[in-house]
Amino acid sequence: MTVWQGLLVLVAGVWAGTINTVVGSGTLVSFPVLLGIGLPPVTANVSNTVGLFPGSFTGAWGYRRELAGQRRRALVLGVASAVGAIIGAVLLLELPAGAFKAIVPVLIVLALLLVLFGARITCWLATRGHGATEHVGLALWLVVLGTGVYGGYFGAAQGVLLMGFLGLFLAESLQRQNALKNVLAGVVNFVAAIVFIATTHVDWAAAALIAVGSIIGGLLGARIGRRLPPTVLRATIVVVGLAAIVKLLL
């Protein structure tokens, strides 16, 4: 890796960490850069995951006020995220590289619809006795588990998926949902990173540069994201999600 390539990877890490904290989809920035400097796809994916998890936790730290009172919720859903991450990481190592390519855009579209119309859907469900609550139900636990599987496998737009499902099932403000999203995404990346470190090759130079950048980006993202009004944050989620779909389909 040349000095200029290293600088590019570092900047990609900052950008990815910022986007991940605000909404998600930072992988769509950092992963192509790692491919561009010559890393094989699986090594790039693995090294990217190892590098990004510190940024998720610095982003969560930046949202610590919004996390107040969510410890039990984060622990319960964190278990689902961890289990899903292990499954997804193993699938990455065992399945063909393009196995999930067809379903990923569909999942992102579903998440965007939930972000856009989640409040109306929640109200409709409430009239039938199935509205969002402050408690973690089985349905939410299972969809977080599924999101963890996807995050451990690839992770692009994992945050968009989490925001869509949290908005549907959890009676909390958008900013508190975003804070919880950062914790859960961090758990997924951390657990998947442990699996990858133990079982396959990691490009440590690339991972370290992504990690330094993502830590900086996580702090920047928290400063930016916490200041966004709910409408602007929701619009940002939709724009990033649409960009993710276009990127994945090209």
Side-chain angles (χ1 to χ4, degrees):
M1 186 187 305
T2 67
V3 173
W4 290 109
Q5 286 176 330
L7 181 60
L8 180 62
V9 172
L10 178 64
V11 172
V14 175
W15 192 357
T18 302
I19 295 174
N20 275 344
T21 302
V22 175
V23 54
S25 297
T27 290
L28 294 176
V29 174
S30 52
F31 179 68
V33 169
L34 295 182
L35 291 177
I37 66 170
L39 296 187
V42 173
T43 301
N45 197 1
V46 166
S47 304
N48 186 61
T49 299
V50 172
L52 285 180
F53 84 80
S56 298
F57 289 125
T58 57
W61 170 255
Y63 270 91
R64 58 192 179 279
R65 291 182 184 175
E66 287 77 11
L67 284 170
Q70 298 200 77
R71 177 179 297 180
R72 184 178 182 281
R73 183 183 293 156
L75 288 173
V76 173
L77 292 178
V79 171
S81 293
V83 173
I86 293 172
I87 297 171
V90 172
L91 289 176
L92 175 67
L93 300 176
E94 297 295 332
L95 293 180
F100 281 4
K101 188 175 181 180
I103 193 64
V104 168
V106 177
L107 291 174
I108 299 175
V109 169
L110 172 62
L112 294 181
L113 291 175
L114 291 177
V115 170
L116 284 172
F117 303 109
R120 296 180 184 179
I121 295 172
T122 300
C123 289
W124 181 80
L125 290 173
T127 62
R128 287 155 177 78
H130 301 288
T133 70
E134 295 182 356
H135 305 290
V136 176
L138 178 60
L140 177 57
W141 196 91
L142 290 175
V143 295
V144 170
L145 172 69
T147 305
V149 173
Y150 169 63
Y153 184 87
F154 183 50
Q158 175 188 185
V160 176
L161 291 172
L162 281 171
M163 289 298 290
F165 291 131
L166 292 176
L168 181 62
F169 292 104
L170 205 57
E172 285 286 5
S173 70
L174 200 62
Q175 291 289 7
R176 281 174 63 81
Q177 292 170 17
N178 203 22
L180 182 59
K181 176 266 292 180
N182 285 326
V183 173
L184 299 179
V187 169
V188 170
N189 285 339
F190 177 66
V191 172
I194 292 175
V195 175
F196 294 148
I197 290 169
T199 59
T200 191
H201 172 67
V202 177
D203 188 308
W204 286 106
L209 289 169
I210 292 288
V212 172
S214 73
I215 289 170
I216 298 170
L219 295 173
L220 288 174
R223 291 179 65 87
I224 296 169
R226 293 179 69 247
R227 287 169 169 76
L228 294 179
T231 303
V232 175
L233 181 56
R234 188 172 284 107
T236 302
I237 294 171
V238 172
V239 170
V240 172
L242 290 174
I245 293 171
V246 172
K247 182 71 175 179
L248 289 167
L249 290 177
L250 291 178

